[in-house]
């Protein structure tokens, strides 16, 4: 979840520690001209600043924030580092405290067991892989010196931030996994088994996480998680590393395991991938060295990376001539492509993909929960998955290449080309058809929809109209806030759409499909939206506008909306929203502002389209 969204989902008390941290960094770095200008705009009153202003300040002090976190994590000790490793994993950025505790207990036991095994191996000089043991021993000796150095000066033994930075580089150069690093540290400076509350509070105190006490929930903003990765030396998200591993051959997976002292005989492909993925190996080291056979030449390694890029169907034009250039291009593409992956499918398209996979395979939910470590009580709807930064393509990569080809074939898609790309495009084109025939959904024209090749039950048209309306608003660049909508909605009052604006303002949207003629039910619609407005205001949000979308409005409805003094209402015909989206897509650099929807009365789509 983006920082701006986290701020809109937390109250003043819950975000106070983060704001205090940003405030201190601002005061300490007033010589930064950009930062100083932004502080002047809010007159130095950071505690009363809007979520958008806080977000802008954070991005200005981001490098200082990273330095601050590095210092505090080093002081926090191994338990804080292990917690950071858990919270930085895909799917764990939003989780209940109870779930984080269970993940910590599981991780602790794994580290403790491996630590015991490594100590025994290092004490037996003649056993195992001598080269691997030599690397492990070198790292252990360096860590022991770093930890015990303070004792010479009669200070408490600990590893400082500077020492940690050097040890991270050493671990990377020696080709050690994050799991091995934690295990060696555990043998020197034991990680506490229980009591993570104090470590969570330390992370909260220094702005790394937010804690929602009402829901007993830990939240780490996406931007802060990226900083976690930088501190840990993690170049890409685990989910991207997993995509690369699933594109490698069995022999290549075995090469990686052998290099790090793991067994390969009798181990299934899935277990090989899981072992490599969970051990926290450097993906750069895997691509540059580990996956290749011992006598592989530099040219052969370069060719393999080129083939890998082609096999993953990545749209990369220039891959470079050197091995490291090709690895850089591959990793940079994966890091920068997440937003495009989300935009490939609307929320409704994402939902249909999940439903289709559930019909094709019985275990899609268990795969998602297992791979992304999501608590059983959490829903797996597109909105929640999106807040965890899990894209539709991430879901498809939960399946092996053979499984995904079978799913593609069962869907009746062409057998040539990349199956994952074909599946995504099939749902994207289905959503495009719905947008093209949006006016038919609005007027509940079942025959017209059937003639357009859209198979839908009449009972589902209302829900589908809401979903497609949200999709259109998203494509216009608006922040359709599904998490906030869930927070505000009750069993009785259920708003169709919430659009988050700056300064905790919102637009409430209501999508009304109607079969016969003009929509005229103002009294009932007014009662509905006023209840939603009240719910928003109780939750600390100001309603800037209510937007009602329908096929057409009667003159009585338009007059009643104009005369309503309790709330500001804008009306927009479905065909008008289609026109606005069409104009938006035709512009090379469209300029659409949500203020265009807040003018009040019946909106003139033609004028809005010209102003984009």
């Amino acid at each position: 979840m983006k920082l701006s969204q986290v701020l809109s989902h937390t109250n003043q008390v819950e975000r106070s520690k983060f704001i205090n941290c940003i405030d201190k960094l601002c005061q300490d770095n007033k010589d930064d001209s950009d930062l100083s200008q932004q502080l002047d705009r809010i007159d130095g009153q950071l505690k009363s600043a809007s979520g958008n202003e806080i977000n802008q300040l954070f991005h200005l002090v981001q490098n200082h924030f990273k330095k601050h976190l590095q210092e505090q994590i080093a002081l926090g000790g191994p338990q804080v580092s292990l917690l950071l490793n858990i919270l930085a994993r895909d799917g764990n950025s939003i989780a209940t405290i109870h779930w984080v505790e269970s993940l910590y207990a599981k991780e602790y036991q794994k580290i403790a067991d491996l630590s015991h095994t490594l100590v025994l191996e290092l004490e037996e000089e003649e056993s195992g892989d001598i080269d691997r043991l030599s690397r492990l021993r070198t790292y252990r000796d360096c860590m022991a010196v770093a930890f015990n150095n303070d004792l010479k000066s009669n200070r408490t033994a600990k590893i400082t931030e500077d020492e940690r930075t050097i040890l991270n580089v050493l671990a990377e150069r020696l080709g050690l996994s994050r799991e091995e690093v934690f295990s060696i540290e555990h043998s020197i400076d034991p990680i506490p088994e229980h009591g993570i509350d104090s470590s969570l509070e330390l992370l909260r105190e220094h702005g790394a996480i937010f804690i929602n006490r009402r829901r007993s929930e830990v939240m780490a903003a996406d931007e802060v998680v990226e900083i976690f990765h930088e501190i840990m030396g993690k170049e890409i998200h685990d989910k991207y590393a997993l995509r690369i591993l699933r594109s490698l051959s069995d022999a290549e997976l075995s090469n990686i395991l052998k290099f790090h002292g793991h067994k390969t005989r009798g181990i299934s492909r899935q277990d090989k991938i899981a072992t490599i993925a969970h051990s926290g190996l450097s993906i750069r080291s895997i691509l540059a060295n580990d996956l290749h056979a011992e006598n592989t030449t530099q040219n052969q390694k370069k060719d393999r990376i080129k083939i890998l890029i082609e096999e993953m169907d990545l749209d990369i034009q220039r891959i470079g001539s050197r091995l490291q250039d090709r690895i850089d291009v591959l990793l940079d593409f994966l890091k920068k492509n997440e937003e495009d992956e989300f935009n490939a499918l609307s929320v409704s398209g994402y939902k249909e993909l999940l439903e289709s996979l559930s019909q094709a395979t019985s275990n899609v939910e268990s795969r998602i929960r297992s791979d992304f470590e999501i608590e059983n009580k959490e829903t797996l709807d597109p909105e929640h998955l999106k807040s965890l930064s899990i894209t539709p393509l991430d879901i498809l990569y939960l399946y092996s290449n053979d499984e995904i080809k079978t799913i593609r074939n069962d869907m009746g898609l062409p057998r040539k080309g990349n199956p994952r790309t074909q599946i995504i495009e099939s749902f994207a084109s289905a959503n495009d058809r719905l947008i093209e025939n949006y006016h038919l959904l609005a007027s509940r024209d079942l025959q017209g929809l059937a003639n357009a090749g859209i198979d839908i039950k009449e009972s589902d048209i209302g829900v589908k109209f809401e979903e497609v309306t949200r999709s259109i608003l998203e494509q216009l660049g608006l922040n359709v806030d599904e998490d906030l909508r869930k927070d505000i909605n009750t069993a009785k009052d259920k708003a169709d759409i919430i659009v988050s604006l700056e300064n905790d303002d919102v637009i409430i949207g209501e999508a009304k499909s109607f079969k016969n003629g003009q929509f005229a039910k103002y009294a009932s619609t007014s009662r509905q939206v006023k209840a939603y407005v009240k719910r928003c205001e109780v939750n600390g949000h100001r309603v800037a506008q209510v937007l009602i979308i329908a096929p057409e409005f009667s003159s009585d409805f338009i007059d009643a909306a104009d005369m309503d003094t309790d709330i500001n209402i804008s009306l927009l015909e479905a065909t008008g929203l289609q026109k606005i989206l069409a104009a938006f897509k035709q512009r090379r650099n469209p300029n659409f502002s949500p203020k265009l929807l807040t003018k009040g009365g019946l909106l003139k789509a033609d004028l809005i389209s010209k102003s984009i």
Side-chain angles (χ1 to χ4, degrees), residues 309-320:
I309 290 170
E310 292 170 356
E311 289 173 342
M312 293 181 70
D313 196 29
L314 305 182
D315 185 19
I316 299 174
Q317 302 302 319
R318 300 180 66 180
I319 62 172

Side-chain angles (χ1 to χ4, degrees), residues 109-123:
Q109 193 56 56
K110 189 162 59 172
I111 295 299
D113 290 345
L114 181 57
S115 180
H116 178 70
T117 302
L118 290 180
V119 168
L120 290 178
E121 285 185 12
L122 291 171
E123 287 174 354

Side-chain angles (χ1 to χ4, degrees), residues 254-286:
S254 294
N255 288 340
I256 299 167
L257 291 172
K258 285 175 190 173
F259 187 79
H260 292 279
H262 293 283
K263 295 179 181 177
T264 58
R265 285 181 177 273
I267 307 296
S268 70
R269 177 179 172 81
Q270 283 302 105
D271 286 341
K272 287 178 184 178
I273 291 171
T275 300
I276 298 166
H278 295 155
S279 62
L281 292 168
S282 162
I283 193 63
R284 181 176 292 277
S285 177
I286 286 174

Side-chain angles (χ1 to χ4, degrees), residues 37 78 95 135 153 162 177 217 263 272 294 413 419 435 454 459 469 499 509:
Q37 286 176 13
R135 288 185 281 116
S153 306
D162 289 341
S177 69
E217 189 174 66
K263 295 179 181 177
K272 287 178 184 178
E294 194 172 339
L413 300 173
I435 291 174
I454 298 170
S459 57
T469 303
V499 174

Side-chain angles (χ1 to χ4, degrees), residues 29 32 39-40 91 97 99 103 123 172 179 200 245 248 250 256 358 360 376 408 418 456 531 535 539 544 547:
N29 296 279
D32 185 322
L39 285 170
D40 288 342
I97 293 175
W99 185 244
L103 292 174
E123 287 174 354
E172 183 185 348
E179 206 171 55
L200 284 174
L245 294 177
L248 302 181
D250 280 351
I256 299 167
S358 296
N376 284 332
R408 185 265 314 268
N418 185 288
I456 188 172
R535 288 288 304 161
N539 280 268
L547 174 67

Side-chain angles (χ1 to χ4, degrees), residues 375-391:
E375 195 171 1
N376 284 332
K377 73 173 190 176
E378 296 287 357
T379 58
L380 293 183
D381 53 55
E383 294 84 7
H384 185 61
L385 293 175
K386 197 171 181 180
S387 70
L388 295 174
S389 298
I390 300 171
T391 71

